[in-house]
Amino acid sequence: MPPRATSPSSAARRAAPLAALAALLLSACAGGTQSGAGDAPTPAAEAADAAASAGGTSLPAIPPVNGPIAIRVQNPVPNAYLGVDSTFVFGTIGTGDTFLRINDTPVEVAPNGAFLAWLPTPPASDPVYSFDAVRKNANGAVATGDSVHTTIRVRRPSSRPLPDTGALLVDSNSVSPGGSQRVRADEYVRVSVRAPDNATVWLRATDASTREVRTVPLVRARDVAATTEQAASGSAASTTTAGTGTLFYGEARADQLSADTRLVIARSRDTVRLPVGVPQLVLPTTPRRFGVLRNHTGGLVATSDTDQVVIARPVPDGFYKWSLLPGTQVELTGVQGGQTRVRLDSQLETWVTTGDIVPLPDGAPAVRRVSGGLRVLPSAEWVDVIVPTGARPAFLVEPDTHRLVVTLYDTQFSPEISPLIGNDPLVQQLSWEPVATDRTVLTVRLSEPVFGWLMLWDDARRALVLRVRRIPDINPRRPLAGLTIAVDAGHPPGGATGATGLTEADAVLPVAVKLAELLRERGATVFMTRTTREAVGLTDRPVMTRRANAHAFLSVHLNAFADGTNPYVNHGTSTLFFHQPSEPLARAIQTELMQRIGQRDLGIHYQNLAIARPTWYPSALAEGLFLMFPDQEAAIKRADWQERYARSIADGVTEYFRTLGAQSAQSGGASR
């Protein structure tokens, strides 16, 4: 982060004479930097760097706009909470013939009046961005009598001062644990509080049965960090807090916390005692509790539809890792906030949204899942691997080039016979291994690369079904002919916004329409998730795509940053995917984007994307440009650049299917 610049109060800024402002602006015009905050590159330097790294492709010139001065700030919005040291500020002046200063820092204005700046965030004592714009005359100097001033007030984190002298003050709002938790008695719970740096902190608990008093010391978090830094680098880091207080933390067994447990903070003769939240204990003698997973998100999902899944996460509110079927019974072992911990088998616990669980009556027993054999049944578009288990198991499917590895939790295997009906060569081998008493790994080896799959529950057979999709017939001369391709114009709701107010949803729609036209010209049937400006739900888009039986999903986006990211050193073009079989599609699209768009190559990324989560088809999400940059926003408004973006994606998906068809042919077209 660049160093924070000293800034006068908002009242002083508003009182600055116009003559002084003009002098400052002229000075900035002569030799000021864009950001005035550290060594951030200027827009011109960044553009040159991006063009050079991409082989010389450059963005078109921004058409000039000359009109009245009207400051409109897109980011930050009024009353925005900014918990970062520096962030980007962008918007428009409405006309390009102006000088602009934000908090007394000169900012470059594009010919159409748009601006983007990377600036220190104002202090909590005066959290205001002050904008001063003044007209240029015909000679490029400051014109008198035509200026505009406006301010945007934001919110900044403000911690209560905790001085090292005087009366002992403690931040009682920082005490942890707090709220409701349900944990096992032998689990350790983090205990913490913010207190003056020169205080001593400990946890005091009284055993309910013996009345024995236990004390657990809490340590300064900064001391732990300093020790770690010294061990890593060989030199100690500065650890002063200058009266702002510091975090003390430690941990205690959950069964050591009770209603009379107190955090004790002491300094000299002053002592403060604070209660801590007491978790509800799951004791060894407590009967096991079970629940059934359900999906309560609504949207297009129907009860019997394969698109209905429940997301399980490795940590509370973390990324999604497991997509489980509604109706799966799991053991409930803990609660934290709105998340419930569930046990998948004896070795693994995960977290699901509490609303996705229907508790079973107390005393309900655990289900028993034992598979006595496998069956393989071929159909025209897929092959089903049928695994009778009696009840829905929790599972994880991991694709690996020519294999699908299926982990079945709380499931035992004892197959005596596994018939492969129809002599279909797509499934070449089935193997299974009991990696634990209650966990089995099933490996399905295919004759060609993994293309798509679904996990279903067959209630009639009481069996889990792995439906393996065949690679479609691909004409090497017209690789998209006969295929169904889904085109997704990203957003609304949500999305990025450009400096002049262009929304991502509006900007990508014409690109998606042009992409659809190009795909149809190449013989594809195109399904579009939206064709108007009306919002389409995030979870509805992949459901609609799966029901259209698409062979690929292409999502068109324009990028943005979160507050606190320097746009001038991080922007570029990228393509995202989720499941590994989609990586070749993302790579092919990124290659074409780099040839036509010409921004910095940010590469392809695995990203935890909801719209790319379905497994029946490969998916890729393109981020061609950053809408917040004035020149990139101006470019995407042009029909030729909309076509350039669309053609890059069309050529990428064409090359992907051409290559896939060649790989299938090399395997002898075994799946058909």
Side-chain angles (χ1 to χ4, degrees), residues 228-566:
T228 303
E229 177 64 24
Q230 184 174 11
S233 64
S235 60
S238 174
T239 59
T240 59
T241 60
T244 60
T246 191
L247 181 71
F248 290 79
Y249 65 175
E251 61 182 15
R253 276 177 50 122
D255 57 5
Q256 293 178 349
L257 304 178
S258 61
D260 62 353
T261 300
R262 294 292 183 269
L263 272 171
V264 183
I265 304 96
R267 184 178 63 197
S268 186
R269 297 182 178 180
D270 286 349
T271 303
V272 174
R273 293 176 174 83
L274 298 173
V276 299
V278 181
Q280 182 181 355
L281 301 183
V282 181
L283 300 173
T285 56
T286 302
R288 299 168 69 189
R289 298 176 64 245
F290 296 93
V292 179
L293 299 180
R294 66 168 182 174
N295 184 293
H296 72 292
T297 56
L300 295 177
V301 178
T303 301
S304 60
D305 200 308
T306 182
D307 302 302
Q308 186 183 27
V309 296
V310 176
I311 301 303
R313 298 168 168 83
V315 296
D317 296 314
F319 71 90
Y320 36 74
K321 177 67 175 177
W322 297 268
S323 298
L324 306 180
L325 299 178
T328 302
Q329 180 176 322
V330 291
E331 184 179 355
L332 313 181
T333 64
V335 174
Q336 182 171 317
Q339 300 281 301
T340 294
R341 187 173 58 197
V342 302
R343 189 191 302 279
L344 302 189
D345 65 15
S346 61
Q347 299 182 19
L348 180 65
E349 293 177 309
T350 64
W351 295 83
V352 302
T353 302
T354 299
D356 282 337
I357 295 175
V358 179
L360 289 173
D362 291 344
V367 297
R368 303 207 177 274
R369 305 177 182 96
V370 179
S371 180
L374 308 172
R375 293 174 65 84
V376 177
L377 294 179
S379 297
E381 293 187 46
W382 61 76
V383 174
D384 283 345
V385 178
I386 302 171
V387 187
T389 56
R392 294 171 180 83
F395 60 85
L396 176 66
V397 181
E398 297 172 287
D400 179 18
T401 312
H402 285 69
R403 300 186 308 164
L404 288 167
V405 180
V406 185
T407 301
L408 298 168
Y409 303 102
D410 199 18
T411 302
Q412 297 173 313
F413 259 40
S414 182
E416 296 182 1
I417 185 171
S418 296
L420 278 66
I421 309 300
N423 194 30
D424 192 292
L426 175 59
V427 176
Q428 288 192 324
Q429 183 186 49
L430 296 175
S431 60
W432 60 275
E433 180 182 4
V435 296
T437 303
D438 56 353
R439 181 184 298 182
T440 300
V441 173
L442 169 66
T443 300
V444 181
R445 190 177 301 277
L446 307 178
S447 60
E448 55 189 31
V450 174
F451 179 66
W453 72 94
L454 288 175
M455 291 297 277
L456 315 168
W457 176 251
D458 185 332
D459 206 45
R461 289 188 174 96
R462 306 302 295 168
L464 188 70
V465 178
L466 171 64
R467 179 160 293 174
V468 184
R469 194 178 193 184
R470 304 180 190 276
I471 294 177
D473 289 318
I474 298 173
N475 183 337
R477 292 183 296 275
R478 299 191 74 210
L480 302 186
L483 302 184
T484 298
I485 308 295
V487 174
D488 174 56
H491 309 283
T497 301
T500 67
L502 177 65
T503 66
E504 181 180 359
D506 286 344
V508 300
L509 185 56
V511 178
V513 170
K514 184 60 182 176
L515 173 58
E517 294 173 359
L518 293 171
L519 297 176
R520 292 189 186 102
E521 291 173 2
R522 302 179 190 196
T525 297
V526 176
F527 168 76
M528 296 190 69
T529 59
R530 72 175 177 97
T531 57
T532 70
R533 299 176 68 183
E534 296 298 317
V536 178
L538 183 64
T539 57
D540 290 344
R541 297 172 190 242
V543 174
M544 296 158 60
T545 300
R546 204 278 308 161
R547 293 180 180 179
N549 205 32
H551 295 95
F553 176 86
L554 309 173
S555 193
V556 185
H557 286 251
L558 297 167
N559 221 335
F561 289 118
D563 286 326
T565 302
N566 186 342

Side-chain angles (χ1 to χ4, degrees), residues 70-153:
I71 301 176
R72 185 176 61 177
V73 181
Q74 299 293 342
N75 190 84
V77 298
N79 206 38
Y81 179 84
L82 298 179
V84 293
D85 292 332
S86 299
T87 195
F88 46 79
V89 180
F90 64 90
T92 179
I93 307 300
T95 181
D97 56 346
T98 54
F99 295 110
L100 172 66
R101 293 183 77 87
I102 304 176
N103 286 4
D104 294 327
T105 298
V107 173
E108 181 179 331
V109 178
N112 64 349
F115 63 87
L116 170 65
W118 169 250
L119 299 170
T121 48
S125 59
D126 188 25
V128 173
Y129 284 102
S130 181
F131 300 79
D132 293 286
V134 61
R135 180 84 63 182
K136 296 178 184 177
N137 62 23
N139 297 322
V142 172
T144 59
D146 193 359
S147 64
V148 172
H149 170 86
T150 191
T151 59
I152 296 289
R153 179 169 289 275

